[in-house]
Amino acid sequence: MRSHIVSNIVSNAVLKLHGIQRRAQLPVAMLLLLNLAACGGDAGTSIAGSTASPQAVPPVSSAAALAAPVPPTSPAAAPVEQPSLVPIVNGEGAALTVSTTGSIDKGNAFFKAFGNGRSCASCHQESQGWSIRPDNLQDRFTQTNGSDPVFALNDGANSPNALTATIDQKRLAYSMLLTKGLIRVGLAVPADAEFTLVKVDDPYGYASTKELSLFRRPMPTTNLKFLSTVMWDARETFADARSNLCIRNSRPLQCFATTDFDLLHQSNSAVTGHAQAAQGLTAAEQRSIVDFEKTLFTAQITSLAAGNLTDAGAKGGPLELAKNNFYFGINDIDVGDYVSGASFDRNVMAMFTTWRGLDRPTPPIPPAQGRPGQPGQPPSAINIARASVARGEQIFNNKPFNVTGVAGFNGELRVALQRATCTSCHSVGNVGSHSVPRLFNTGVSDASLRTPDMPLYTLRNKLTGEVMETTDPGRAMNTGKWQDIGRFKVPSLRAIEARSPYFHNGGMIELTDVVKFYDKRFNIGLTPQEIIDLTEFLKVL
């Protein structure tokens, strides 16, 4: 019976994903647009002593790579990575990665196979926003009969005890990876937790009090300049009482190691865990991997509807992204800017201000000196699309709503009346990440949103007896605190179109679904046009 249920889940999910694959099969005209757009055309580890000082803008030396032609794509792309530093087609246009070194060093330890044959690149691919997508994973499964290293029992399968003798058994075993791009994270409830696990409903028959199965999307290994929290649940974000990287007004005071230290540790954890290497990385390999990751900047560069995202004064794309400033506590919602002392600025996104009003028709030209007048002209399709993006940017910045029932926000931040906009959480300028390790529970792992392919865990508070059901306890699996159940990091939003599906659990396939989720969750009251505009804005990040 269980196998039959899982089989149905896989079949239904694959049908949904076919829509994504069809969108990615772009016409020749789109490839020409990408080439023109890329050319600028108008087609369209000491922890102690760390400081919270602004980082210098990295020297981006790969602008010439924007002119490189886009290779043709086929409906069934090979699992081999596409060439680097060229626009890579996705469902809404193309994304581009640039490097501060001017190239992608494929000789870096990031691409080296360890243990079970995996490398960092097994789950972090340039062509997928430096994460992985189900459509690509399905291609890799088909072309290798499920033998690609990404399909490893330890965490690629729904259960490490899954049967994989036949191709059909493999397809069932790796269904969460194939349909949602989810890696299984096995964690035990902390011994000193404020709660106990009283019930497990796991469709794969593995999770228990000894080890919960938590299914999560691989985080992108790009745009790390703007990172404050490592991993969805911050388990690779380390406290450091000697550091001055401290969250203002936190009681007790929460101080942290540098993200560089965190990333060095995380690289080693990934190799000994995900890749099952018998030995950890050398210090040189750790340094090499982290330094490589820090050179990468990825963003959408062209849009099917709006064309080149740097045209008409716009500041989209990875070159402009790399110029943005970042430091611990920049533009913090609670106390303002830690360095400048400025108040919190909700106008976080300012890339498409020059596109405002482009959907207005041109005014008529009156007759003059014997010349007949000219009637006003309607806006072009590309200008209509650009105006929609600009409106979406303003909605993201300024559409107010009340925040209720969000652990980590309500009761912990001194925000008047808990009034917020999207930028209250996505507060780093033109990036959308959060500048301090502050995690929130917006309800994504609530039992009410559980799908049949997800385990469900029932937890009981040891002190109060309160019971909570969740598909993933999130931060609480590290801290053991009741108040941390369901709390996850605020992810960066750049290049988000390149790495569907969304949320830590891959619960949303389309960006419009993400917008509608938050509209309903916070009773924002978005109009149908506002939903369209906000979605169009997210697509071009």
Side-chain angles (χ1 to χ4, degrees):
M1 176 63 73
R2 177 172 290 137
S3 296
H4 177 68
I5 293 172
V6 175
S7 180
N8 287 337
I9 292 170
V10 176
S11 298
N12 291 335
V14 169
L15 287 173
K16 290 181 180 179
L17 285 162
H18 282 168
I20 298 176
Q21 292 173 310
R22 284 196 296 269
R23 286 190 301 133
Q25 296 170 23
L26 302 181
V28 174
M30 180 56 203
L31 297 176
L32 294 175
L33 181 146
L34 294 177
N35 285 329
L36 289 172
C39 296
D42 194 15
T45 281
S46 172
I47 308 176
S50 57
T51 60
S53 58
Q55 298 179 16
V57 176
V60 178
S61 57
S62 57
L66 294 174
V70 179
T73 59
S74 60
V80 180
E81 276 285 76
Q82 298 184 38
S84 303
L85 302 178
V86 298
I88 295 177
V89 171
N90 56 48
E92 295 295 335
L96 175 67
T97 293
V98 296
S99 170
T100 57
T101 66
S103 64
I104 303 295
D105 176 17
K106 293 297 179 72
N108 186 275
F110 184 92
F111 299 95
K112 179 181 177 180
F114 295 94
N116 57 18
R118 284 179 175 172
S119 68
C120 301
S122 295
C123 294
H124 303 280
Q125 301 211 335
E126 179 188 359
S127 62
Q128 296 147 77
W130 298 94
S131 180
I132 46 176
R133 290 197 312 264
D135 55 341
N136 176 273
L137 288 164
Q138 290 170 26
D139 287 339
R140 291 161 72 179
F141 184 90
T142 298
Q143 295 182 32
T144 66
N145 289 321
S147 64
D148 186 290
V150 74
F151 303 108
L153 271 175
N154 61 310
D155 58 6
N158 305 337
S159 161
N161 297 332
L163 300 176
T164 58
T166 69
I167 192 68
D168 288 337
Q169 288 177 339
K170 287 183 179 181
R171 190 172 287 109
L172 289 175
Y174 301 111
S175 65
M176 294 293 266
L177 191 57
L178 290 168
T179 62
K180 293 182 176 179
L182 297 174
I183 291 292
R184 191 189 71 86
V185 178
L187 294 176
V189 175
D192 59 350
E194 298 173 351
F195 55 88
T196 59
L197 178 66
V198 296
K199 184 180 179 181
V200 174
D201 180 7
D202 180 9
Y204 314 109
Y206 178 77
S208 68
T209 54
K210 182 180 179 181
E211 180 178 300
L212 273 62
S213 291
L214 311 171
F215 292 93
R216 298 174 181 170
R217 298 279 289 126
M219 300 296 295
T221 52
T222 185
N223 302 331
L224 299 188
K225 172 184 177 180
F226 313 105
L227 194 68
S228 68
T229 308
V230 180
M231 311 301 283
W232 282 108
D233 57 5
R235 70 183 182 276
E236 293 283 356
T237 301
F238 294 94
D240 179 17
R242 301 167 296 173
S243 171
N244 63 355
L245 302 179
C246 307
I247 298 179
R248 304 273 179 90
N249 290 336
S250 58
R251 297 292 182 271
L253 191 64
Q254 300 177 50
C255 301
F256 299 90
T258 63
T259 53
D260 184 75
F261 176 89
D262 296 341
L263 290 169
L264 288 169
H265 190 278
Q266 184 273 331
S267 66
N268 192 64
S269 298
V271 166
T272 57
H274 298 306
Q276 298 176 294
Q279 295 181 331
L281 296 170
T282 66
E285 287 172 328
Q286 287 177 279
R287 184 78 270 163
S288 174
I289 290 171
V290 173
D291 285 352
F292 167 77
E293 293 172 332
K294 286 182 173 181
T295 71
L296 306 176
F297 293 87
T298 306
Q300 196 79 354
I301 188 65
T302 58
S303 161
L304 288 174
N308 191 323
L309 301 176
T310 62
D311 279 351
K315 295 183 178 181
L319 291 176
E320 287 291 338
L321 169 63
K323 297 176 185 178
N324 284 283
N325 201 8
F326 180 80
Y327 44 81
F328 190 98
I330 192 171
N331 199 37
D332 182 50
I333 177 64
D334 196 31
V335 298
D337 195 293
Y338 286 15
V339 174
S340 72
S343 299
F344 173 73
D345 183 1
R346 69 183 182 187
N347 290 296
V348 167
M349 299 295 189
M351 293 170 285
F352 302 104
T353 56
T354 60
W355 285 4
R356 296 181 197 174
L358 289 181
D359 56 343
R360 290 192 292 264
T362 59
I365 302 174
Q369 299 180 350
R371 290 180 299 180
Q374 298 292 327
Q377 297 297 313
S380 64
I382 199 169
N383 278 344
I384 291 174
R386 288 174 175 177
S388 176
V389 168
R391 289 195 303 271
E393 183 175 66
Q394 290 308 296
I395 293 167
F396 190 89
N397 287 339
N398 296 308
K399 183 75 172 183
F401 53 89
N402 292 321
V403 176
T404 58
V406 176
F409 197 102
N410 299 105
E412 294 186 29
L413 302 181
R414 299 181 298 106
V415 182
L417 302 177
Q418 306 296 307
R419 195 73 165 156
T421 71
C422 297
T423 60
S424 297
C425 292
H426 298 278
S427 56
V428 175
N430 293 330
V431 177
S433 56
H434 204 77
S435 66
V436 297
R438 186 182 285 129
L439 287 70
F440 303 114
N441 179 4
T442 60
V444 174
S445 63
D446 286 358
S448 61
L449 296 177
R450 183 210 184 184
T451 50
D453 56 354
M454 279 285 179
L456 184 67
Y457 304 105
T458 303
L459 309 176
R460 178 180 291 126
N461 188 304
K462 292 179 179 178
L463 182 62
T464 67
E466 182 182 355
V467 172
M468 185 181 300
E469 291 184 321
T470 181
T471 57
D472 192 329
R475 180 65 171 148
M477 291 299 290
N478 305 313
T479 67
K481 296 184 180 298
W482 181 257
Q483 66 181 13
D484 287 344
I485 293 174
R487 289 171 69 166
F488 296 92
K489 68 173 284 182
V490 178
S492 168
L493 298 177
R494 298 308 296 266
I496 192 171
E497 177 59 39
R499 56 178 190 270
S500 171
Y502 308 112
F503 296 158
H504 72 275
N505 58 11
M508 299 289 170
I509 293 178
E510 302 287 350
L511 284 172
T512 187
D513 297 327
V514 175
V515 171
K516 289 178 179 179
F517 168 82
Y518 283 114
D519 182 40
K520 181 179 180 181
R521 170 64 180 83
F522 295 114
N523 195 27
I524 300 174
L526 295 172
T527 67
Q529 185 61 54
E530 286 176 324
I531 290 174
I532 292 172
D533 293 341
L534 186 50
T535 302
E536 292 305 304
F537 168 66
L538 294 174
K539 287 177 181 178
V540 301
L541 292 177

